[in-house]
Amino acid sequence: MSAYIRRAFSCRNILLLRSSTLHGYSSSHITRTPINMSMFDSDTVFNVPASNFIMESRRTFAKGRKSKDEAGVSTIGISPDVVPNIKANAISLMEAAIGALSAELSKLRTGRASPGMLDHIIVEISGMKMPLNRVAVVSVIDSKTLSVNPYDPQTLKQIENAIVSSPLGLNPKADGDRLIAVIPPLTKEHMQAMAKVVTKSCEDSRQSIRRARQKAMDAIKKLYSNLPKDDIKRFEKEVDDLTKKFIKNAEDVCKAKEKEINQG
């Protein structure tokens, strides 16, 4: 029964609120006359500050409206770090492309000894396959000789088999607890084949860098309606400059490798 009574008074309050709005009652105070809840047919009246209710409604409505500039055009604010994030992502992708290129070229055997030339060789020990640089330390004795020192001398034979089975054409010999690998001179055919690999790797790197550029440009284009045209053009030029810089880096890495191959 009390629930019905409260609902009835709630409806009555709404009606009184509308009435007070129309007749301009003062909104400075809320006055409530004590009511005996047992008297459902009481004639007690509530004076409710209708203007407060109207003001709050207006505030709520205003919060939901889109902001407009002086010309009356709707605008959407963007975070100030959006463009720096786009550039940072592009740089990260381009650096990854250069890193992948360097790793790929390090696999190529030239006539000169390099500690990284054995990193990609996979060694199987106790049923587990691991890169050689995880199980041994490779160092350069001279320009034509490598030293391979296993962390565990018991794995010396497995490391030797892995090096012999690789396409590098090396034939290491045991020297106590280490292996000595002499780098044989390159044949003309081998040099030509590696030059083609370098050319292809360089082009793959260029394509990766250009894809990173396109991804950044697509992200910047989405800001066209929110940023001045001059800012957009400046950001696009910065991405283009980054692209040129990283492509030149890739080409320099490949030229250095080609020189190393040609020197035999």
Side-chain angles (χ1 to χ4, degrees), residues 199-230:
T199 300
K200 182 180 184 305
S201 297
C202 191
E203 183 57 30
D204 290 344
S205 183
R206 288 194 198 98
Q207 293 299 327
S208 295
I209 293 169
R210 290 181 182 127
R211 283 195 294 271
R213 172 197 176 276
Q214 189 59 52
K215 185 175 181 179
M217 289 298 192
D218 291 342
I220 291 174
K221 285 179 181 178
K222 294 179 181 179
L223 306 177
Y224 271 21
S225 60
N226 302 306
L227 291 176
K229 182 180 291 187
D230 290 343

Side-chain angles (χ1 to χ4, degrees), residues 91-140:
I91 291 173
S92 178
L93 293 174
M94 292 178 186
E95 287 178 342
I98 297 296
L101 173 64
S102 298
E104 187 66 25
L105 295 183
S106 69
K107 299 176 183 179
L108 300 179
R109 180 180 74 80
T110 64
R112 296 179 61 84
S114 169
M117 66 190 303
L118 305 182
D119 286 352
H120 67 286
I121 295 177
I122 302 300
V123 182
E124 184 172 353
I125 299 174
S126 300
M128 296 181 62
K129 295 182 178 181
M130 294 174 286
L132 188 143
N133 59 2
R134 296 277 186 88
V135 297
V137 176
V138 180
S139 56
V140 176

Side-chain angles (χ1 to χ4, degrees), residues 42-62:
S42 171
D43 293 329
T44 306
V45 176
F46 291 88
N47 293 324
V48 183
S51 59
N52 284 356
F53 175 79
I54 295 172
M55 291 174 65
E56 290 300 323
S57 298
R58 287 177 178 174
R59 290 194 189 101
T60 303
F61 176 75

